[in-house]
Amino acid sequence: MSTNVRVAIDVGGTFTDMVKLVPETGELRFEKVPTTPQQPTAGVLAAFDKADAAPSTVETFNHGSTLGLNSLLTRSGARIATIATRGFRDVYLLGRTDRKVMYDFAYQKPKALLERYDTFEVSERSYFDGTVGTPFDEEDARSVAREIASRGYDAVAVAFLHAYANPDHEVRMREVLAQEAPGVEVTLSHELSREYREYERTSTAVLDAYIKPIMRTYLKALESELEQRGFTGRFLMSRSGGGAMTASAAREQPVHLILSGPAGGVVGAAAFSKLIDRPNLITIDMGGTSLDASLVQNGQPVLYHGAEFEGLPINTPSLYIHTIGAGGGSLGYLDEAGALQVGPKSAGAVPGPAAYGRGGTQPTFTDAALAIGYLGVDTPLGGELTLDREKSLESLAAIAGELGLTVTQLARGMVRISNTKIVGAVRAITIELGNDPKDFSLLSFGGGGGLVAVDVARELGIPEVIVPPGQGAFSALGMLMADVQHDYSRTSLQNLDDLDDAIANELFAEMEADAVSTLESEGFGAERRSFQRVVAVRYSGQEHSVTVPYPAGSADARAAIREEFDRLHLRQYGHIMDDPIETTALRLSAIGIVDKPDLPKAPVRPAGESYPAGTRTVTLDGDSTAEYTLVAREALMAGDVVEGPAVITEHTATTVMHAGDRLEVGLYGELTISIKNNQKESARG
């Protein structure tokens, strides 16, 4: 039995996706099991069992979980407190004075994760340059720590003024809390972000503390259960900012896991873009609860600082992922004005869509797709779940009656509404940021991505849709391609003309020394480490910055930075100015390089043979119907061509293409669909 099996598991809101790769044999297996919200580890262990992956044979286990995200969405995290510098107790609750939504009279500021009663202050203060203005008051700190212990808080976020420049007082506060409140989890703001902006740094620490007890408990329980089953391999967690982190590091800084599941798909897309020679990709990942849209440009995922969760900032690097409530379980309903809506509410894993036969009675996108023939009862989801068309039709009937529509007309309307929302999400990351969708290919994955991708591409003029192998579990597959990554930064707010290359290199060297220590402790020797230096640059007086690679060995670093800043600013914002520019931060990404799996190539069909095909009736607009060719993806081989209209079924997902569209199977089994009327000379950018 092989003992170098690689496994990746992505826990979503409805399904838990599993990928098993055996490098020796090339076996690549995709499985789905229901997510188990009440017992988070149960669904993960069930995925191991279903894929016949004994933990004792697993060399590397990559994992992405929505547990932390869901606790934030449902406000079911820990009971937390904050400790601030005396006089700055209200930094977190006051936040910023800007307003994201300008003209919505019903707008309400997002609810904070704690009340003012939960905020504390300690006498201490450091200045922006790290010098101490007010010494740390030991007795004041102990009094606050004892009060926190007496109130029974689960966790506390410590965010002192200018701790990014001098973290000593935060470190001392942790020591006091360990003595006076030993059962309380502690998050220090400087360990998550060494950049200025007190509110954003405090918010990041609060988010981390809010989910830390839950994530610690979950990861410890999962590690224990895997060890009992003989697991001795490397356990990695997918990070919101791309890459992976060890489970032990994730227990200490779980804020990096908030978008861990969607990040896996984007990392996988970047790696896959190189294999298929498509450096520019728009990705859509449609699961059971939501849809995530992102970009890959020049073979790299798009990173940015300034991610937010429901208006609460996270001051750490994140992949640029735009999420909307449009998944297979998104509920259809009539709003207060009597108009049909789909999502963002979802049927989730329990009870799920009506078609699952688990007690759901409200119509979902899945029920609509089944009613019009995109999905069928002849191809069980995950090989086990046979859909119930009659229950889907029953769930749709009530709303159809209220609107005076047939059930299939309502179903077509629900699919069209979902498509429109997804088009809007793609526009938000392309057209609204100065990118032309026609210069990209659309990479579609997730259990529902293939149902909508062709329609979305046609609407936006995207020339082709690419469906990767194992699309239903592709985010999990992407996790297998992720290196371990740690991010470091130092505030460096100064005019570019004043930038001292020697001082900058000294700061980078300091960060690299910390990174080397961390990576060595995780088992990465010098030959398996790499470092990427960047600098955040902006026009003087502006708010937002552009991230520029820090020039290595340049004779004039400042001129090189200015030239690259002009190029990137012109591309992102459409203009450049002669105004002076300034740096805001120096940042370092430290990479621990892991062995990447080689994806197996698809077999080529012998001459003279063809794939088996059937038919499926699909309802079109106006309640007319058409016969679509029905093909099992598992029966396709490299070089095969399918002319639309057609439905391609597979173990974990379904892909729909229409009349005039043309599908060709690629070298790695990917489906490349040329969209009628959208063909372009080149989709490779």
Side-chain angles (χ1 to χ4, degrees):
M1 180 180 292
S2 175
T3 57
N4 66 343
V5 175
R6 299 185 179 195
V7 165
I9 295 179
D10 176 24
V11 179
T14 305
F15 286 105
T16 292
D17 300 327
M18 146 74 101
V19 173
K20 172 187 174 184
L21 176 67
V22 184
E24 292 176 359
T25 63
E27 177 191 355
L28 186 61
R29 182 169 174 177
F30 300 93
E31 296 290 354
K32 276 184 180 288
V33 298
T35 293
T36 53
Q38 303 307 316
Q39 294 180 286
T41 62
V44 175
L45 297 173
F48 273 92
D49 293 337
K50 187 171 183 181
D52 299 319
S56 59
T57 68
V58 175
E59 179 183 58
T60 304
F61 170 38
N62 294 71
H63 185 30
S65 173
T66 58
L67 187 62
L69 175 62
N70 290 339
S71 67
L72 288 166
L73 289 168
T74 59
R75 292 299 195 270
S76 58
R79 183 172 177 234
I80 61 172
T82 63
I83 305 176
T85 301
R86 185 163 299 282
F88 293 85
R89 174 183 178 185
D90 295 313
V91 162
Y92 174 69
L93 293 176
L94 287 174
R96 296 293 178 190
T97 58
D98 62 340
R99 180 179 168 123
K100 301 295 183 183
V101 182
M102 296 296 292
Y103 304 110
D104 183 358
F105 293 110
Y107 172 79
Q108 292 184 342
K109 185 178 179 180
K111 183 176 174 56
L113 299 178
L114 46 76
E115 304 293 338
R116 193 170 193 270
Y117 173 79
D118 306 313
T119 62
F120 299 85
E121 52 190 0
V122 166
S123 295
E124 70 80 39
R125 181 160 183 175
S126 296
Y127 296 133
F128 74 96
D129 59 357
T131 58
V132 175
T134 302
F136 181 76
D137 189 324
E138 186 92 11
E139 287 308 310
D140 193 15
R142 290 191 180 278
S143 176
V144 167
R146 286 192 288 268
E147 180 68 15
I148 285 173
S150 69
R151 292 193 192 178
Y153 289 104
D154 301 311
V156 59
V158 181
F160 288 153
L161 196 66
H162 301 304
Y164 61 87
N166 183 353
D168 291 348
H169 292 175
E170 283 194 353
V171 173
R172 185 67 191 119
M173 188 69 231
R174 175 164 56 193
E175 294 169 351
V176 171
L177 285 164
Q179 295 166 7
E180 303 291 345
V184 177
E185 300 282 5
V186 179
T187 292
L188 303 185
S189 71
H190 80 273
E191 292 183 339
L192 300 173
S193 173
R194 292 293 296 270
E195 298 187 25
Y196 79 113
R197 298 181 190 276
E198 299 306 318
Y199 167 57
E200 286 76 7
R201 189 161 47 83
T202 303
S203 173
T204 305
V206 168
L207 286 164
D208 186 82
Y210 190 73
I211 65 175
K212 182 173 282 185
I214 293 172
M215 293 306 301
R216 269 185 183 269
T217 300
Y218 168 69
L219 289 173
K220 285 182 177 179
L222 183 56
E223 285 178 298
S224 176
E225 294 189 53
L226 288 173
E227 286 174 6
Q228 291 174 22
R229 296 186 178 204
F231 176 71
T232 59
R234 174 174 279 164
F235 183 0
L236 301 176
M237 295 293 296
S238 176
R239 299 170 71 255
S240 303
M245 62 196 305
T246 62
S248 58
R251 291 199 304 268
E252 299 302 320
Q253 298 184 354
V255 72
H256 292 294
L257 306 180
I258 290 176
L259 295 175
S260 67
V266 182
V267 171
F272 196 62
S273 74
K274 298 178 178 66
L275 289 179
I276 62 174
D277 192 23
R278 295 294 194 279
N280 296 327
L281 296 173
I282 298 166
T283 71
I284 58 170
D285 175 7
M286 185 176 183
T289 305
S290 61
L291 178 135
D292 305 300
S294 191
L295 288 181
V296 173
Q297 291 182 295
N298 299 318
Q300 298 295 324
V302 177
L303 272 171
Y304 79 122
H305 264 68
E308 291 186 351
F309 170 79
E310 293 189 344
L312 304 176
I314 307 173
N315 200 30
T316 58
S318 297
L319 294 177
Y320 193 85
I321 299 173
H322 185 70
T323 301
I324 61 172
S330 292
L331 295 169
Y333 62 97
L334 298 181
D335 62 19
E336 294 177 354
L340 178 63
Q341 303 290 343
V342 182
K345 293 181 180 179
S346 171
V350 179
Y356 289 3
R358 296 173 179 163
T361 58
Q362 292 181 267
T364 66
F365 175 88
T366 295
D367 296 305
L370 178 59
I372 64 175
Y374 281 9
L375 296 174
V377 299
D378 49 354
T379 52
L381 297 182
E384 294 182 355
L385 178 60
T386 299
L387 300 180
D388 189 325
R389 190 168 188 270
E390 291 306 314
K391 282 187 167 58
S392 288
L393 297 179
E394 289 173 11
S395 72
L396 293 158
I399 295 178
E402 287 190 56
L403 295 176
L405 302 173
T406 66
V407 167
T408 50
Q409 285 174 337
L410 174 67
R412 290 292 311 182
M414 288 179 61
V415 171
R416 193 179 306 116
I417 289 171
S418 293
N419 287 343
T420 300
K421 292 175 66 175
I422 297 166
V423 166
V426 174
R427 286 178 60 90
I429 63 169
T430 54
I431 295 170
E432 294 178 16
L433 296 180
N435 298 301
D436 188 344
K438 297 181 178 64
D439 295 332
F440 293 78
S441 299
L442 180 64
L443 187 76
S444 163
F445 49 94
L451 299 173
V452 301
V454 165
D455 289 331
V456 170
R458 197 182 324 277
E459 179 69 22
L460 290 167
I462 300 170
E464 64 181 13
V465 169
I466 299 172
V467 183
Q471 62 164 320
F474 185 75
S475 285
L477 179 61
M479 293 174 191
L480 291 180
M481 304 176 185
D483 290 317
V484 170
Q485 181 174 327
H486 296 277
D487 297 308
Y488 301 84
S489 64
R490 295 290 186 272
T491 294
S492 178
L493 187 56
Q494 60 184 316
N495 288 330
L496 180 62
D497 291 340
D498 297 329
L499 179 66
D500 188 314
D501 193 38
I503 294 176
N505 282 316
E506 184 178 324
L507 288 173
F508 278 123
E510 177 186 312
M511 289 186 274
E512 287 179 4
D514 291 341
V516 166
S517 176
T518 299
L519 290 173
E520 280 187 349
S521 71
E522 295 174 345
F524 294 97
E527 74 285 355
R528 302 188 75 83
R529 298 193 295 257
S530 69
F531 304 101
Q532 299 172 358
R533 298 178 174 187
V534 299
V535 57
V537 187
R538 68 185 183 188
Y539 288 116
S540 295
Q542 283 196 335
E543 173 70 9
H544 301 290
S545 59
V546 173
T547 301
V548 176
Y550 194 87
S554 172
D556 189 343
R558 288 174 291 190
I561 291 171
R562 175 82 203 213
E563 181 180 353
E564 183 65 6
F565 171 76
D566 285 345
R567 187 185 71 82
L568 292 175
H569 199 279
L570 180 63
R571 191 185 77 183
Q572 293 183 28
Y573 299 106
H575 71 280
I576 56 176
M577 301 186 294
D578 294 328
D579 293 27
I581 65 175
E582 60 188 9
T583 65
T584 61
L586 304 176
R587 297 171 183 155
L588 176 80
S589 290
I591 309 297
I593 302 170
V594 302
D595 293 328
K596 306 298 188 300
D598 292 324
L599 293 185
K601 294 182 178 179
V604 178
R605 186 175 304 284
E609 292 188 7
S610 184
Y611 52 82
T615 59
R616 177 180 291 174
T617 302
V618 172
T619 301
L620 308 177
D621 289 334
D623 260 358
S624 62
T625 60
E627 293 301 308
Y628 278 47
T629 302
L630 182 64
V631 181
R633 184 171 185 177
E634 291 79 5
L636 294 174
M637 297 184 182
D640 282 348
V641 173
V642 180
E643 300 288 347
V647 175
I648 315 298
T649 64
E650 59 184 287
H651 189 53
T652 59
T654 298
T655 301
V656 177
M657 51 188 286
H658 305 296
D661 300 331
R662 183 179 187 274
L663 179 155
E664 184 170 353
V665 183
L667 188 63
Y668 295 94
E670 74 276 10
L671 311 180
T672 300
I673 304 172
S674 299
I675 308 301
K676 181 183 179 183
N677 299 330
N678 286 2
Q679 283 86 354
K680 190 177 179 182
E681 185 65 27
S682 173
R684 303 186 182 187

